Amino acid sequence: MTAQQSGEASVSGERWVTTLASLLVGAGFFALWFWLLPGWLGFRVETAGAASWRWLGAVPSVLGFAVALRCIWDFGWTGRGTPVPVAPPQRLVVVGFYRYVRNPLYVGFAAGWIGLWIVSGRPNTAGIAAVAAVALGINLFVHFCEEPTLRKKFGADYIEYCRNVRRWWPRLHVWNKPQ
């Protein structure tokens, strides 16, 4: 085996390790979101007597969680890290949905939860207050912690990315970094 082949095998092995680690972290996020939070927020799906249109909420839910899953994959495969700050990506992730919006993982989870909320048909004051508090907390975390850390770590590349891709509202057309 040549030195180049050995180096390529090492990079490929590293990609698989970080991708699997990212997927395990993602599984933890999904467990939290699907097994713990629904009960705390009062989500109960009762099919008896439920309006059939509520099942349309499954569409944004499935699509949102699919976006989140793809983002978790991109953290491991492209970024060589995980979504968790203790094991962050080693490379700036500007692939897939990250070319449309800077925080597609959060946006995907939000769409997924809105869909689940529609399906459950039980928005309540406490749930709305909890969701508003979580959204505010995430926004503050992204603005004051996550983005400064990424600016420090990735410098001019991240600053250019921020100038071209919005934090929460997706672009209509993909952003391709100029060569």
Side-chain angles (χ1 to χ4, degrees):
M1 179 181 282
T2 68
Q4 181 181 359
Q5 289 172 328
S6 177
E8 289 172 4
S10 174
V11 168
S12 179
E14 176 187 326
R15 274 188 157 176
W16 280 108
V17 168
T18 57
T19 301
L20 290 174
S22 187
L23 290 173
L24 284 172
V25 167
F29 278 128
F30 278 96
L32 173 70
W33 288 94
F34 283 105
W35 288 308
L36 298 175
L37 289 178
W40 293 343
L41 296 176
F43 281 49
R44 306 271 187 273
V45 178
E46 297 173 12
T47 56
S52 59
W53 64 267
R54 284 195 350 222
W55 289 102
L56 290 174
V59 174
S61 187
V62 168
L63 292 176
F65 290 130
V67 165
L69 185 60
R70 167 62 195 265
C71 293
I72 291 166
W73 172 270
D74 288 337
F75 264 85
W77 190 256
T78 301
R80 309 229 176 109
T82 73
V84 178
V86 296
Q90 300 307 303
R91 296 178 178 192
L92 183 60
V93 179
V94 187
V95 298
F97 295 110
Y98 288 94
R99 294 174 14 179
Y100 292 93
V101 64
R102 286 200 315 256
N103 295 292
L105 183 62
Y106 296 128
V107 173
F109 270 123
W113 271 93
I114 289 168
L116 286 178
W117 214 342
I118 292 168
V119 169
S120 76
R122 293 195 173 216
N124 57 45
T125 306
I128 292 170
V131 168
V134 167
L136 177 63
I138 288 172
N139 189 52
L140 292 172
F141 171 75
V142 165
H143 187 72
F144 292 110
C145 183
E146 192 171 90
E147 289 182 349
T149 301
L150 292 170
R151 269 193 301 278
K152 184 177 178 183
K153 184 171 188 170
F154 298 115
D157 286 340
Y158 185 71
I159 291 168
E160 179 184 4
Y161 176 60
C162 290
R163 276 196 302 262
N164 289 285
V165 179
R166 293 183 292 256
R167 183 181 292 138
W168 301 116
W169 297 106
R171 298 168 48 97
L172 293 178
H173 304 287
V174 68
W175 178 69
N176 290 310
K177 181 180 177 181
Q179 298 301 325

